[in-house]
Amino acid sequence: MKKTAALVILLLTALICCGAASADDRWDKMVAQMESREKIRNEGPAFLSQIALLAPAGSDAELWRLSYSAPSLQTAAAAGVALVKKWFPDGDPANWEEVVGFFPSNSYVPRQLVAVNALFNAVSALSRMEEGKYAAAWLMLRFGESSRGRLIFIYNMPEQFRKTLDRLIAETSMPGYWESDKIEGPWPFVPRYNGTVLYDRAVTENYQFLNGMGGIAGSGPYAWDRARGFVYRVIDPNNSIWIKGRD
């Protein structure tokens, strides 16, 4: 009986110690997360202001190209951040839906898609810079303020950026829900114009429709085949305006 009681006491003591250790681990993890989030808030915007000053001179087209193919991370980050500050109203990624038109203006490539891809290019470059990862997290947190932005561009994204996002979350404890339901499409994901497509096919193959100004929409005269990286003019026999297209 005494041996049994002694064993029970030892077991309870072990459980209490393990529970205390587990509680300590949780506390340490919570403190680390709070410190990381504080760094995102404080260091993120400040670093973005600094890196923007290093943006190379050039046209928007040149900045776009450099944002994903520059020979250095600093140049790629600076070019991407420069486009974010120029294209998003108030330089805030949360305002992505206000970016409209086509890029270049005489093309069928939606500026909205180019802008979001430029944002992701900036995040990719910044996340690989030790001093820039909190700025990358701050940009994503701003973008994540848009629930529609998360639905369109986070739940479905190319594999390359999914890896970037996972690494950024692990290194910065970036808060929020960032899960993806579908991984597809080329990187960069800005589509190439590929002619016309029938409305019924666009619906059947789950293309993303775009409105007349190239913005994400439930239906419209343009469609984005994000899996293959193409954008089309939509032909709908029941809609004569869509058949005519944009001059």
Side-chain angles (χ1 to χ4, degrees):
M1 187 70 177
K2 290 182 179 179
K3 289 183 178 180
T4 302
L7 287 173
V8 170
I9 291 172
L10 286 172
L11 179 60
L12 289 173
T13 301
L15 289 173
I16 291 171
C17 290
C18 288
S22 178
D24 287 343
D25 289 343
R26 290 197 299 269
W27 174 257
D28 290 343
K29 184 177 180 180
M30 184 178 70
V31 170
Q33 289 177 339
M34 291 176 63
E35 290 176 347
S36 291
R37 293 173 186 181
E38 191 69 19
K39 286 184 177 180
I40 293 173
R41 285 193 295 269
N42 294 335
E43 297 181 16
F47 188 78
L48 288 175
S49 296
Q50 294 173 14
I51 198 76
L53 297 176
L54 303 177
S59 66
D60 288 358
E62 290 170 324
L63 289 175
W64 157 248
R65 180 181 56 79
L66 287 171
S67 74
Y68 66 85
S69 64
S72 72
L73 290 176
Q74 179 176 282
T75 301
V81 170
L83 289 177
V84 168
K85 288 182 172 294
K86 183 174 183 179
W87 283 353
F88 293 88
D90 299 323
D92 188 349
N95 298 326
W96 68 275
E97 289 187 86
E98 297 179 41
V99 181
V100 296
F102 298 85
F103 181 78
S105 59
N106 62 346
S107 76
Y108 288 101
V109 179
R111 180 182 292 267
Q112 191 174 94
L113 298 185
V114 183
V116 175
N117 204 153
L119 166 67
F120 287 4
N121 288 342
V123 169
S124 294
L126 288 166
S127 70
R128 287 181 285 163
M129 302 168 64
E130 182 59 32
E131 68 277 26
K133 60 185 179 182
Y134 293 108
W138 188 85
L139 286 174
M140 289 308 301
L141 286 177
R142 290 308 308 154
F143 184 71
E145 286 294 307
S146 166
S147 58
R148 197 169 187 222
R150 293 196 305 273
L151 176 64
I152 301 298
F153 296 102
I154 302 300
Y155 292 171
N156 185 330
M157 66 168 59
E159 180 180 8
Q160 185 170 336
F161 192 68
R162 181 67 256 176
K163 292 178 180 178
T164 293
L165 198 55
D166 288 340
R167 185 180 68 252
L168 183 63
I169 293 169
E171 294 181 359
T172 66
S173 298
M174 183 174 70
Y177 185 78
W178 303 101
E179 296 299 319
S180 296
D181 292 334
K182 196 170 187 178
I183 303 298
E184 66 176 354
W187 179 261
F189 61 75
V190 169
R192 292 173 293 150
Y193 178 61
N194 199 34
T196 60
V197 66
L198 289 174
Y199 175 81
D200 288 345
R201 178 187 170 189
V203 171
T204 301
E205 298 192 12
N206 295 316
Y207 292 178
Q208 173 62 60
F209 283 102
L210 307 162
N211 62 30
M213 292 300 292
I216 296 293
S219 185
Y222 304 102
W224 174 27
D225 175 5
R226 59 195 307 166
R228 300 173 185 84
F230 294 119
V231 65
Y232 297 90
R233 283 193 301 116
V234 176
I235 301 289
D236 184 355
N238 298 316
N239 190 322
S240 60
I241 296 178
W242 288 6
I243 292 176
K244 292 177 182 178
R246 179 170 60 90
D247 295 330

